[in-house]
Amino acid sequence: MAISTRDIQHNFVVEINVAVFEYLTQIFRQIPISGTSSVTFQQSLDWIILHEIQHAELGHFSILDGVPTFSLISSSRKSQVQEPDLPRELWDKVERCLELQADHEALEEMLGNMDNVDWAELRVTIASIASVIVLIENIDRDNPNPSETHPKAATRIFQLLGHVGDMWSIGTSLHADDLPNAERIQEFAKEVILPAYYDAIEMAKSTKATNLIHDLSDPEIFFADIAHAKLGHWDQLQTAGAKEWAELKDANGQILPLVYKFQAENNTSI
């Protein structure tokens, strides 16, 4: 049984299995975040739908050349890529890159910037997104055919919290006068960024996602990896998520021209 929502603009349907609703409900009953409620549950569903819509906005269906489907949960061992217009050595990375692209664009649309949201509500929104990431990891983990099409949950959370860590600069110019002061940035880190990391840890613990707990490491190493990634210090990365993100970075750079081409031809833009 599934619940469907139709995107008329792109003429496709997002179907969400009822089991997803049940799994998210289980997570929200266990994580100790003030404000988690049906609102959070709805935000998780909004995230799923927004992520899937981004696949269409970015032209991912055309990149996969005749495979007009993306699955929240992987059902097959092998990638479905059918000879995209990319070097053969990238094919096993294409779908993971497209998932991270859809995540990134959905993050920008859903989270906004630091000053236009209530921080307590923002933390709940981040937890809503992280819950879907944990959901995907756990169901894929129990799948007898392990996924080759999804990045690790640790990689997606690495990108998620890396984006949250940059929210103080979103919507500002390069002029120093437009940037928040150091005290406000530190307050944002204390009230939102670090708690969001621990929320992800708690979700992993509550769902017995032992691999994710290990992959997220400890906060000092995790956030050091975010800093190393921003500086391009690839040889200093320690966590599994940061390493996979770095592994996919060059491949993603070669895929983006196909996205830009699609958007130019269809009058859309990132």
Side-chain angles (χ1 to χ4, degrees):
M1 182 177 179
I3 296 175
S4 300
T5 181
R6 179 176 294 276
D7 182 86
I8 297 175
Q9 179 182 356
H10 302 103
N11 193 31
F12 72 92
V13 174
V14 177
E15 290 189 352
I16 304 173
N17 193 287
V18 170
V20 171
F21 289 76
E22 295 172 351
Y23 202 102
L24 291 174
T25 300
Q26 174 190 348
I27 292 176
F28 294 143
R29 284 174 179 165
Q30 297 182 58
I31 53 176
I33 305 173
S34 175
T36 52
S37 62
S38 59
V39 174
T40 310
F41 183 81
Q42 182 60 52
Q43 287 178 325
S44 293
L45 300 182
D46 289 345
W47 165 257
I48 293 171
I49 293 167
L50 186 57
H51 169 96
E52 298 304 325
I53 287 174
Q54 292 305 316
H55 282 309
E57 292 278 359
L58 297 169
H60 290 170
F61 301 113
S62 63
I63 291 174
L64 291 189
D65 190 21
V67 187
T69 182
F70 282 85
S71 297
L72 177 67
I73 307 303
S74 175
S75 59
S76 63
R77 180 182 297 274
K78 296 298 182 183
S79 167
Q80 300 181 75
V81 173
Q82 296 183 2
E83 301 188 9
D85 186 20
L86 291 163
R88 179 65 181 85
E89 62 269 19
L90 298 184
W91 289 5
D92 66 338
K93 299 178 181 179
V94 171
E95 286 169 293
R96 286 182 290 159
C97 289
L98 300 188
E99 292 296 339
L100 290 177
Q101 286 180 12
D103 277 4
H104 179 269
E105 298 307 307
L107 285 176
E108 289 202 333
E109 187 164 337
M110 195 162 181
L111 296 182
N113 66 55
M114 185 179 77
D115 291 321
N116 65 4
V117 293
D118 177 87
W119 289 1
E121 292 178 3
L122 175 61
R123 182 183 167 192
V124 173
T125 301
I126 296 166
S128 301
I129 296 169
S131 70
V132 177
I133 294 172
V134 173
L135 162 69
I136 295 169
E137 178 92 342
N138 276 12
I139 297 183
D140 266 354
R141 177 195 64 195
D142 297 334
N143 191 330
N145 299 314
S147 173
E148 290 185 353
T149 66
H150 294 148
K152 293 177 180 291
T155 307
R156 302 177 91 151
I157 290 174
F158 178 81
Q159 178 173 261
L160 166 63
L161 294 186
H163 180 90
V164 173
D166 282 340
M167 284 180 65
W168 61 269
S169 64
I170 296 173
T172 65
S173 72
L174 296 178
H175 298 294
D177 291 343
D178 295 330
L179 297 175
N181 59 43
E183 289 78 12
R184 183 160 174 78
I185 295 173
Q186 290 174 357
E187 182 184 3
F188 184 69
K190 178 181 177 181
E191 297 295 325
V192 178
I193 301 173
L194 191 58
Y197 168 86
Y198 284 113
D199 291 340
I201 292 287
E202 288 300 321
M203 287 180 203
K205 289 180 178 178
S206 70
T207 57
K208 298 180 173 59
T210 54
N211 287 343
L212 177 56
I213 296 169
H214 177 268
D215 289 347
L216 290 177
S217 189
D218 66 59
E220 183 176 352
I221 294 174
F222 180 89
F223 288 106
D225 270 1
I226 289 179
H228 292 319
K230 288 179 181 178
L231 296 171
H233 297 165
W234 314 123
D235 60 336
Q236 296 184 43
L237 299 177
Q238 298 185 60
T239 60
K243 288 179 179 179
E244 184 179 39
W245 185 88
E247 173 200 346
L248 297 174
K249 185 177 182 298
D250 289 341
N252 189 64
Q254 295 183 64
I255 294 168
L256 282 175
L258 299 181
V259 172
Y260 299 144
K261 180 176 183 289
F262 172 87
Q263 293 181 320
E265 293 173 348
N266 291 273
N267 297 315
T268 62
S269 61
I270 292 182

